[in-house]
Amino acid sequence: MFTYNSQDFKIICITDRKSCSGDFLKKTEEIAGAGVSAVILREKDMSAEEYERLAGDVMNICKKAGVGFAAHTFIKSAANAGFQYIHLPLPMLREAILKDFKFSEFFDGFGVSVHSAAEALEAAELGASYVTAGHVFVTDCKKGLEPRGIPFLRRIAELLDIPVYAIGGINPDNIAEVKAAGAAGACIMSGFMKAADVKKFVQELRAGL
């Protein structure tokens, strides 16, 4: 799912159902059918049971569309449901490893959110299949927080041998900067959740490259 080659710049949707315009599952179907590479279901406020049910629905949507899918945060639920990939905050990964959780027994791979070069190196050493690095540009999701910028992203991409996906404030006008910095792809939340025409938005992103 998250394998990478230099000709394959990935566009990944990160979900946030609370900011979604319209029905969330319908929006997810539109996103999966619009040419994205993968969907990461990031709904951390749900109970484990609620999340597992929703994740099953979203995974089926992605599978039908031939789009990659990764769960987020809920390790046990994802393992129980047989999801192939999971994405985690670094502190959660550290905790799971301390508890001797064997990721390779349940998942094909896992991703980690990182916010510094040191965190990126640690995530790679702990076995991450990929990292998301951010936030790169100004974004409403991180109001008041200074973006880390393109030099930060370039540094992470130079340091790691695994794919680095940029996140934070990415749009059709700046996505080319992300690719030029060495990122393997871009993760986008608000742009997808609020897009009136998802297919057009993906086309604009691809054109921006």
Side-chain angles (χ1 to χ4, degrees):
M1 173 182 132
F2 287 103
T3 55
Y4 171 70
N5 63 65
S6 60
Q7 304 303 314
D8 180 27
F9 186 88
K10 294 188 182 297
I11 293 176
I12 299 168
C13 169
I14 311 289
T15 73
D16 176 20
R17 74 192 191 288
K18 289 187 173 180
S19 68
C20 176
S21 59
D23 180 78
F24 177 71
L25 287 178
K26 184 177 179 182
K27 173 73 79 171
T28 303
E29 287 179 347
E30 292 174 1
I31 292 167
V36 299
S37 306
V39 174
I40 298 177
L41 186 67
R42 182 185 181 277
E43 304 297 336
K44 299 193 291 185
D45 64 307
M46 303 182 83
S47 70
E49 293 77 14
E50 291 171 329
Y51 183 87
E52 191 169 334
R53 286 194 296 272
L54 181 63
D57 290 337
V58 173
M59 183 192 68
N60 287 334
I61 289 169
C62 290
K63 188 175 181 180
K64 184 177 179 180
V67 167
F69 169 78
H72 194 297
T73 301
F74 295 91
I75 299 175
K76 289 184 178 179
S77 294
N80 290 339
F83 300 144
Q84 290 179 295
Y85 287 85
I86 189 162
H87 188 92
L88 301 170
L90 184 56
M92 186 172 289
L93 174 61
R94 291 174 182 145
E95 183 180 349
I97 288 175
L98 282 174
K99 292 180 178 177
D100 203 32
F101 183 84
K102 306 296 185 185
F103 282 89
S104 61
E105 292 182 8
F106 299 95
F107 303 108
D108 290 348
F110 63 89
V112 183
S113 301
V114 301
H115 308 95
S116 70
E119 288 186 354
L121 287 170
E122 181 182 355
E125 288 170 2
L126 292 175
S129 307
Y130 69 91
V131 300
T132 59
H135 62 292
V136 178
F137 301 109
V138 173
T139 172
D140 287 343
C141 297
K142 303 285 185 180
K143 271 189 177 178
L145 293 179
E146 189 73 17
R148 292 178 171 86
I150 289 295
F152 156 81
L153 177 63
R154 184 177 294 110
R155 174 64 174 154
I156 302 299
E158 289 172 349
L159 280 173
L160 301 190
D161 293 326
I162 57 175
V164 176
Y165 300 120
I167 191 169
I170 299 166
N171 59 49
D173 294 327
N174 59 31
I175 194 169
E177 295 179 63
V178 166
K179 184 177 182 180
C187 297
I188 299 169
M189 180 186 288
S190 298
F192 278 117
M193 293 295 99
K194 297 178 180 179
D197 186 334
V198 174
K199 189 171 184 178
K200 182 181 178 183
F201 179 59
V202 173
Q203 289 172 344
E204 289 171 347
L205 289 167
R206 292 290 181 192
L209 293 168

